[in-house]
Amino acid sequence: MGFLLLLLGLALWIGAHLFKRVAPERRAALGDRGKGLVAAAIGLSLVLMVLGYRSAEFVNVWYPAAWLTHVNNVLMLFAFYSFGIGASKGRHAQRIRHPQLTAVKIWAVAHLLANGDLASILLFGGLLGWAVAEVVLINKAVPVWEKPSEIRPNGDVKNAIIAAVLYAVVAGIHVLLGVYPFG
């Protein structure tokens, strides 16, 4: 049942996020009500993915080396930093077109390196595939990127501090859930 929930959640996540890209007329026809429907679908998809991942039978596919846990942890710092680039409006906002999707890709790769079980490969690999597809579809729809004009002098520093705090909070949540991210 765990794998089924995981796959349903993943499919719902991908479908809800890509709906606007693959069926823009249908999404526009829903108007503001559509925002609520998409948000509900994304929320439900998260619940299904978490429940499915946590309850999936452990099926080992490969054994990651112990040092890959440390690579995962370093990459996660970059993922948190990347996620906040757009909001921080520092200099890096003019270098990375899709900072949040870049963060998802870093997060997914990091977790694929550190986890060799089937549920992890499905979850993190599926979300990596979605993030790549999303970037391709956005770049196809809007091929020319207008870089942000507003740059905040301390934006990158503030983003780094917030990323470090969030990293610590998420690591603490992992520990509370019985997952020890530091080996």
Side-chain angles (χ1 to χ4, degrees):
M1 186 65 158
F3 284 109
L4 178 62
L5 291 176
L6 174 59
L7 292 172
L8 284 173
L10 193 56
L12 187 56
W13 173 275
I14 292 168
H17 278 90
L18 294 182
F19 181 50
K20 179 172 121 177
R21 303 279 173 223
V22 297
E25 299 85 20
R26 293 184 82 188
R27 172 58 189 90
L30 292 173
D32 284 342
R33 186 177 69 108
K35 290 179 184 177
L37 291 172
V38 170
I42 290 169
L44 178 59
S45 74
L46 285 170
V47 169
L48 290 171
M49 285 188 287
V50 169
L51 291 175
Y53 182 76
R54 301 275 297 163
S55 65
E57 175 188 347
F58 184 83
V59 178
N60 200 45
V61 177
W62 72 290
Y63 296 95
W67 58 269
L68 287 173
T69 299
H70 305 298
V71 173
N72 171 72
N73 291 333
V74 171
L75 287 173
M76 286 309 301
L77 280 169
F78 285 109
F80 278 108
Y81 182 82
S82 294
F83 198 84
I85 285 174
S88 67
K89 298 189 185 339
R91 285 177 291 165
H92 291 131
Q94 292 193 323
R95 294 190 177 107
I96 299 177
R97 180 173 182 179
H98 308 287
Q100 291 180 333
L101 290 167
T102 299
V104 170
K105 290 185 282 187
I106 295 168
W107 167 84
V109 168
H111 282 76
L112 284 168
L113 290 173
N115 298 282
D117 62 291
L118 183 58
S120 294
I121 292 169
L122 291 172
L123 176 63
F124 305 123
L127 290 173
L128 175 60
W130 159 74
V132 169
E134 191 81 44
V135 167
V136 169
L137 289 171
I138 292 169
N139 288 349
K140 185 177 179 184
V142 185
V144 177
W145 176 40
E146 290 188 34
K147 296 179 180 182
S149 58
E150 179 188 351
I151 298 297
R152 296 180 185 152
N154 295 330
D156 293 329
V157 173
K158 288 179 183 177
N159 186 31
I161 293 168
I162 292 169
V165 170
L166 288 175
Y167 176 86
V169 168
V170 171
I173 291 169
H174 276 70
V175 170
L176 289 174
L177 293 173
V179 179
Y180 300 95
F182 303 106

